Amino acid sequence: MNEGRVQGKVAVVTGGARGIGAEIGAALAAQGATVVVADLAPAGDYTGRAAYRQVDVTSEESVRTAFDDIAAAYGRIDILVNNAGVTGPIKPAHEVEEKEFDFLFSVDVKGVWLATKHAVRHMLGTGGGSIVNMSSIYGLVGGARIPLYHAAKGAVRMMTKADAATYAKSGIRVNSVHPGSIETELSKSLSADPSPEAAAYAQRMLDSTPMGHRGSPRDIANGVLYLASDESRFVTGTELVIDGGYSAV
Ligand code: NAD
């Protein structure tokens, strides 16, 4: 029998309506998982996935009810992909407003914690699972343009390691993925800035990538698939960098 790599598993992908998350959902579904797309957007393309659920990862009530409903409908949650994220203000730290800081951290950091919290409650009852947190190469190195995004993605990297240590004996693995520059609406919004600084930044980004081009959402989905599946059963607390060599030089 030719079974899929995540056959029979129930997966939730936050921010799964578009971009990298949409590709992750499609890849998991193609390999046999029952995938629920959980996104702030009211509806999106979820062809091939089992269901679409509107969720705001910054709200505990929204996350708790969604995850309880998903576990009730499908019996379990085996895979959580914490992919929802925003880049926040393109400003140096001294120009950022308090509300901009709070918004960025509520999506990128609190959102990962809340979804983890409510998925883990169910995973503990069914013997384990795999959590994949979307960080970034910007969670590994600093940079001058979006400093708070670096800080938030660094927090995601470390939350991953702490949760990996905490839940290893409960059969829950937790790993982070660190994409380089990937073609999506999010990266387009960063390069839509018409200023010469933005153009220079985009060029520097490509110049710093040994492979010389951006990645595709599929490149990230392939890595998530490995971490979500039992192929990575001895892997927890690791950071999978998928960046065309950006962080190697
Ligand atoms: P995107 O903007 O195309 O998609 C993000 C999705 O998250 C959207 O569907 C959006 O509706 C959803 N979302 C936003 N806030 C939400 C909330 N409060 N609750 C639920 N869903 C919410 O972004 P993308 O480029 O596909 O990025 C996905 C992830 O990958 C993000 O965490 C991002 O930081 C990370 N990442 C992206 C790149 C890149 O180059 N695109 C590089 C490194 C890391």
Side-chain angles (χ1 to χ4, degrees), residues 14-21 38-41 55-58 82-87 107-108 134-137 149 153 178-187:
T14 72
R18 68 178 201 185
I20 294 171
D39 202 291
L40 187 61
V55 176
D56 179 357
V57 296
T58 69
N82 274 315
N83 166 79
V86 293
T87 44
V107 180
D108 288 11
M134 200 57 67
S135 179
S136 167
I137 48 171
Y149 181 76
K153 291 300 186 179
H178 301 258
S181 187
I182 307 298
E183 289 285 359
T184 67
E185 293 303 317
L186 181 145
S187 56

Side-chain angles (χ1 to χ4, degrees), residues 127-129 161-174 233 236-237:
K161 293 183 191 302
D163 288 345
T166 305
Y167 299 117
K169 293 222 166 41
S170 305
I172 301 171
R173 297 183 298 104
V174 191
R233 65 191 178 187
T236 197

Side-chain angles (χ1 to χ4, degrees), residues 62-80:
S62 174
V63 172
R64 188 183 57 73
T65 53
F67 281 51
D68 286 355
D69 290 351
I70 293 164
Y74 301 104
R76 53 198 299 122
I77 297 173
D78 301 299
I79 297 165
L80 166 65

